[in-house]
């Protein structure tokens, strides 16, 4: 019997397809600043990279950092548009980041999965993305929804084919997850470009859902020190990019030779999951599978992801 968390992961595609019908504006400004917390910040990283790929200057900043020191991330604030991502729409730091942005005279947009949430009221413009009410503390379907909307705002054409690809990748990883997870206690996720934010999100899922020590890096960075941790209990998830696949496959060979079990998503590994989506939309094609991987590691450790340790659905600071 699968958990409610797993059922929500499997059932997310109807929500993704429905969201394709929602109008979104393609962002055009001197610079687009995506802000968020936790999962929403990592989605911001992926969306910002996709936005740059589409020819529009963009950065991703943790919400509290943008509130406290915007100048450390963008020297010239003039003409910037700030996009706040928040499933709940009530995360204190993200609300503050938008409020500060308005005080600075910047345009603001909010993405949220809660109707009429605070963030949608604070921002000048907002997009509500209806989500599965069964979703628990750990973000799954809402993360995919905000990523999809953000990619479309970047000007990335997300299609039914990409959503169907995400379903296939999810199904494929469900068939090999138990083999990949067995006996593994050290987890690493690697991704480049827009996939680096997804690697961070996958790592956060492993931390939140399965209480695993997990790290995320750019693939070619891994040899520069962190590789020292690889041994026979390492599982390394490599999110391949078509552009750099050959060099990434050499990283897979290096870590495999040191004892790691490599989950190759879009390329070579001890298990290889095919991905047909190319370009920045690949971030969406692989995200649901990575959500399930977190759930599978949690199951292997007999952990209930409906009650993740120390976490609440929203972080509200007083
Ligand atoms: C942000 C967040 C989540 C985290 C946990 C607490 O929420 O930090 O990323 O997984 O659920 O809240 P939100 O601003 O997107 O609602």
């Amino acid at each position: 019997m699968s958990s409610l968390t797993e059922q929500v992961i499997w059932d997310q595609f109807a929500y993704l397809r429905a969201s394709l019908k929602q109008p979104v504006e393609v962002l055009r400004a001197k610079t687009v600043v995506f802000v968020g917390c936790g999962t929403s910040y990592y989605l911001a990283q992926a969306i910002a990279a996709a936005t740059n790929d589409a020819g529009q200057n963009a950065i991703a900043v943790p919400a509290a950092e943008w509130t406290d020191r915007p100048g450390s991330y963008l020297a010239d604030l003039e003409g910037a548009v700030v996009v706040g991502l928040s499933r709940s729409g009530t995360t204190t730091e993200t609300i503050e980041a938008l409020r500060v942005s308005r005080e600075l005279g910047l345009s603001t947009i909010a993405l949220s999965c809660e109707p009429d949430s605070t963030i949608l009221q604070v921002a000048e413009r907002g997009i509500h993305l209806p989500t599965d009410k069964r979703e628990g503390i750990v973000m799954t379907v809402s993360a995919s929804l905000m990523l999809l909307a953000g990619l479309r705002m970047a000007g990335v054409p997300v299609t039914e084919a990409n959503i169907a690809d995400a379903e296939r990748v999810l199904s494929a990883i469900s068939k090999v997850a138990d083999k990949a997870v067995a006996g593994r206690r050290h987890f690493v996720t690697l991704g480049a470009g827009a996939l680096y934010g997804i690697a961070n999100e996958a790592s956060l899922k492993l931390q939140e859902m399965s209480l695993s020590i997990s790290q995320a890096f750019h693939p070619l960075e891994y040899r520069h020190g962190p590789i020292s941790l690889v041994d026979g209990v390492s599982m390394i998830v490599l999110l391949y990019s078509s552009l750099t696949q050959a060099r990434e496959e050499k990283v897979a060979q290096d870590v495999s030779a040191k004892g790691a079990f490599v989950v190759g998503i879009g390329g070579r590994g001890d298990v290889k999951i095919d991905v047909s989506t190319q370009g920045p939309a690949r971030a969406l094609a692989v995200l649901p599978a990575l959500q399930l991987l977190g759930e599978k590691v949690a199951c292997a450790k007999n952990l209930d992801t409906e009650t993740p340790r120390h976490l609440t659905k929203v972080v509200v600071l007083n």
Side-chain angles (χ1 to χ4, degrees), residues 55-82:
Q56 165 61 58
N57 285 332
I59 59 172
V61 185
E65 282 291 287
W66 184 252
T67 299
D68 295 338
R69 51 178 71 80
S72 296
Y73 295 90
L74 192 61
D76 178 5
L77 300 179
E78 198 221 336
V81 170
V82 181

Side-chain angles (χ1 to χ4, degrees), residues 237-287:
V237 180
L238 215 169
L239 307 176
Y240 283 93
S241 302
S242 319
L243 178 70
T244 43
Q245 177 147 358
R247 303 209 299 169
E248 291 165 354
E249 291 194 338
K250 288 191 168 53
V251 174
Q253 286 171 333
D254 287 355
V255 296
S256 196
K258 293 168 174 58
F261 187 97
V262 177
V263 177
I265 300 186
R268 139 192 225 131
D270 294 289
V271 291
K272 179 176 182 293
I273 310 283
D274 291 329
V275 185
S276 56
T277 300
Q278 302 297 322
R282 178 169 281 199
L284 181 70
V286 304
L287 183 57

Side-chain angles (χ1 to χ4, degrees), residues 35-43 63 85-95 111-114 119 136-140 142-143 146 201 204-205 208 308 311-316:
V35 299
C37 298
T39 288
S40 298
Y41 167 54
Y42 296 135
L43 300 177
L85 289 83
S86 177
R87 166 183 65 177
S88 63
T90 54
T91 295
T92 303
E93 295 106 307
T94 312
I95 293 166
L111 283 186
S112 180
C113 297
E114 285 302 321
I119 196 171
I137 289 174
V138 173
M139 286 172 67
T140 52
S142 298
M146 291 198 288
E201 169 54 11
L204 181 64
K205 288 282 97 42
E208 292 179 329
L311 294 185
T312 53
K313 193 155 188 174
V314 190
V315 175
V316 177

Side-chain angles (χ1 to χ4, degrees), residues 5 75 119 213 275 292:
T5 302
I119 196 171
I213 307 296
V275 185
L292 183 67

